[in-house]
């Protein structure tokens, strides 16, 4: 099958707005792409790390509220025809709860992060969440938010790639 880009099919996405809006669209697009990659890798990181420590039953080790929420999300997605694994149902709020869990931090995640301070990791995720929500909901991301997003995702991705 031959692949065709959207530009080839439909022409430029933006042809009639000024540079300010185009720059904003490009910044948001870059943010979306970077966040998407981070979230996919973070899910893989959590699943791989938890599986290495607890085996195939790693899900049972999650905090009760997270397990319940993820089970409900998975059931809802499956009923809608979207077959998703438990880890594919996670989002930033889940990552925070999983990493922040005292037992999971000590047994699974602390040895994998450069810092022994859980607060450093939680702070990175907390700084990313508002920018993530802004970009994923197509709201303008500021230049300052882009710089912070770039830095924080870089920090987390470097840890994940080494783990």
């Amino acid at each position: 099958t031959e692949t065709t880009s959207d530009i080839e099919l439909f022409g430029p996405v933006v042809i009639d707005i000024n540079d300010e809006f185009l720059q904003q669209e490009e910044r948001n697009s870059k943010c979306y792409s970077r966040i998407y990659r981070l979230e996919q890798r973070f899910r893989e990181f959590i699943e791989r790390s938890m599986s290495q420590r607890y085996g195939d039953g790693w899900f049972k080790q999650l905090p009760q509220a997270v397990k319940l929420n993820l089970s409900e999300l998975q059931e809802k997605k499956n009923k809608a025809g979207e077959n998703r694994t438990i880890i594919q149902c996670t989002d930033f709020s889940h990552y925070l709860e999983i990493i922040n869990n005292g037992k999971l931090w000590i047994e699974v995640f602390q040895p994998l992060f450069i810092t022994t301070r859980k607060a450093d990791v939680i702070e990175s995720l907390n700084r990313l969440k508002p920018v993530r929500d802004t970009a994923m909901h197509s709201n303008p991301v500021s230049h300052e938010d882009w710089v912070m997003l770039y830095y924080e995702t870089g920090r987390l991705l470097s840890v994940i790639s080494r783990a």
Side-chain angles (χ1 to χ4, degrees):
T1 310
E2 189 175 312
T3 60
T4 306
S5 73
D6 288 349
I7 295 294
E8 291 173 303
L9 289 173
F10 304 110
V13 176
V14 179
I15 57 172
D16 62 346
I17 60 176
N18 65 34
D19 287 345
E20 175 187 339
F21 291 116
L22 184 57
Q23 288 173 354
Q24 184 63 61
E25 182 180 339
E26 289 171 351
R27 184 181 308 130
N28 273 48
S29 178
K30 288 178 183 179
C31 286
Y32 177 91
S33 184
R34 192 154 179 99
I35 292 165
Y36 179 85
R37 285 193 311 272
L38 174 69
E39 288 205 51
Q40 295 307 313
R41 287 181 178 91
F42 213 79
R43 288 174 180 152
E44 291 168 4
F45 167 72
I46 289 172
E47 184 174 38
R48 184 178 61 250
S49 303
M50 294 286 289
S51 294
Q52 286 173 350
R53 175 68 171 98
Y54 301 113
D56 291 339
W58 66 267
F59 177 75
K60 296 173 189 167
Q61 301 300 318
L62 295 178
Q64 187 61 31
V66 173
K67 281 192 294 193
L68 181 60
N69 182 254
L70 290 175
S71 293
E72 290 171 355
L73 283 170
Q74 184 182 36
E75 184 178 333
K76 186 177 176 181
K77 296 292 183 184
N78 288 342
K79 284 182 181 176
E82 300 176 37
N83 292 327
R84 293 199 186 173
T85 63
I86 287 292
I87 200 67
Q88 291 171 332
C89 294
T90 58
D91 63 26
F92 255 71
S93 62
H94 299 114
Y95 312 148
L96 282 164
E97 290 184 55
I98 293 167
I99 297 290
N100 200 27
N101 179 276
K103 174 186 167 199
L104 298 179
W105 171 255
I106 292 168
E107 293 182 2
V108 180
F109 299 108
Q110 184 178 18
L112 302 175
F113 284 95
I114 297 167
T115 180
T116 57
R117 287 177 22 92
K118 176 172 49 170
D120 292 343
V121 179
I122 298 304
E123 187 58 34
S124 286
L125 289 170
N126 278 327
R127 279 194 288 260
L128 286 170
K129 188 173 181 342
V131 181
R132 181 250 181 236
D133 292 347
T134 298
M136 297 309 229
H137 295 285
S138 299
N139 292 307
V141 174
S142 70
H143 175 73
E144 292 79 12
D145 284 342
W146 163 246
V147 171
M148 188 273 307
L149 172 94
Y150 188 85
Y151 174 76
E152 292 294 350
T153 54
R155 283 180 58 193
L156 291 171
L157 286 168
S158 70
V159 170
I160 291 169
S161 67
R162 283 192 306 266

